Amino acid sequence: AYGWERLENMVQHERTACLLPLDGMLQDLPTLELDSRQATRIAQGQRLILEQTPGDGRVRLYQGGKFIGLGRLDGHLLAAERLLSQAAKNAALASIGLE
């Protein structure tokens, strides 16, 4: 943690280097990589049936290697729990063919 005064005295690239990735505090959760079609469907509120899963419970969701949010697995059924707004925006664009 850095104090406000210390952050104010840093140049922009030094402040940026202090930031943790969005999923930095979620490293204990298993990951699930979705293809673009799956990511669009999950962002539109649809549930997915997956063949292989890391087990039940919360998972970190990625699409193209980028963190898009959290999901919850119940057996082979995946539902979105919390998604980043960019994931929802991309899903909306995809649904009208602008992705």
Side-chain angles (χ1 to χ4, degrees):
Y2 295 93
W4 186 252
E5 193 172 306
R6 185 170 177 195
L7 287 170
E8 283 183 318
N9 292 324
M10 291 179 181
V11 293
Q12 182 63 38
H13 75 273
E14 291 173 326
R15 282 192 295 266
T16 301
C18 295
L19 298 175
L20 295 174
L22 290 173
D23 60 341
M25 294 180 61
L26 305 169
Q27 297 301 306
D28 59 327
L29 297 177
T31 64
L32 205 62
E33 181 71 31
L34 304 177
D35 62 33
S36 61
R37 184 170 179 262
Q38 291 171 318
T40 298
R41 290 182 58 211
I42 204 84
Q44 292 173 339
Q46 298 177 29
R47 294 178 182 192
L48 304 177
I49 297 174
L50 304 175
E51 289 182 26
Q52 294 187 346
T53 68
D56 287 351
R58 255 184 172 172
V59 291
R60 292 179 286 153
L61 301 175
Y62 293 84
Q63 193 268 318
K66 294 182 181 177
F67 178 65
I68 62 168
L70 294 174
R72 181 162 301 275
L73 279 166
D74 184 13
H76 291 274
L77 187 64
L78 173 67
E81 195 168 89
R82 295 274 184 220
L83 297 178
L84 300 178
S85 61
Q86 187 62 43
K89 180 181 175 184
N90 290 346
L93 291 174
S95 70
I96 58 173
L98 296 177
E99 183 182 34

